[in-house]
Amino acid sequence: MNLLSILITLILATLLALLAIGLPVAILRNMAKGDERRRLLAAGVEQMRLGRMLDGLGKDRDRYLHLERVADIEQQMRRCGSCSATERCDELLDRQQPVRAESVDFCPNLDKLKRSAPD
C-alpha cells in the first residue's frame, strides 16, 4: 500500500467512527426533545378543559398523548382554548361522569376525541 491509500483509509475510518458515534447521539438527543415536547403537551392538556373532557369520555390521557400526532393535539388545544361554550362545558363536566358523547355535541373536538385513543 502506498502512503495515499493509507491516508485515504485512515480518513474513511475516522469518518465512519464519527458517524458510528454521532448517529446514536443525535437519535438520543432527538428522542429527549420529543419526550420533553410530549411532557409540555401533557401539562397543557392537564391545565385545559381538554384534559377533563378526555377523562370524562373515559380516554386514557397517556395513551392519547402517545398515539395522537403532536400537531393534532396542538390543534385540539387551540380549539379548546378558543371555545365559546366554556360555561356549558364546565357545568357538564362537573355534574356528569362519565360524559356521554351525545351530551357534549357542542365540543369542537368531539369527533376527533371519539375516534382517538380508544379505551
Side-chain angles (χ1 to χ4, degrees):
M1 274 175 118
N2 63 24
L3 186 58
L4 182 60
S5 297
I6 294 172
L7 186 59
I8 290 174
T9 302
L10 286 174
I11 291 171
L12 290 176
T14 302
L15 290 173
L16 186 58
L18 288 173
L19 179 65
I21 294 169
L23 187 59
V25 168
I27 290 170
L28 290 172
R29 187 178 306 132
N30 189 30
M31 289 174 61
K33 286 181 182 179
D35 287 345
E36 179 61 23
R37 184 131 187 232
R38 294 272 178 191
R39 276 193 290 278
L40 291 173
L41 278 176
V45 167
E46 177 73 28
Q47 294 172 0
M48 302 183 82
R49 287 174 184 85
L50 180 58
R52 291 181 63 207
M53 185 64 74
L54 285 166
D55 294 343
L57 292 170
K59 302 294 181 178
D60 182 299
R61 283 191 204 189
D62 290 332
R63 187 170 169 83
Y64 164 79
L65 290 165
H66 180 73
L67 295 178
E68 287 297 309
R69 293 178 339 133
V70 169
D72 290 342
I73 295 171
E74 289 172 340
Q75 182 182 42
Q76 291 167 22
M77 289 172 69
R78 283 191 299 276
R79 283 185 190 146
C80 186
S82 64
C83 182
S84 61
T86 57
E87 289 179 24
R88 188 173 173 194
C89 185
D90 286 340
E91 179 183 311
L92 182 98
L93 291 171
D94 287 342
R95 70 176 160 80
Q96 188 181 108
Q97 292 297 324
V99 173
R100 293 186 321 274
E102 61 273 3
S103 64
V104 289
D105 59 348
F106 58 87
C107 179
N109 290 316
L110 182 60
D111 288 339
K112 185 66 176 169
L113 293 177
K114 284 193 309 189
R115 288 189 306 250
S116 71
D119 308 344

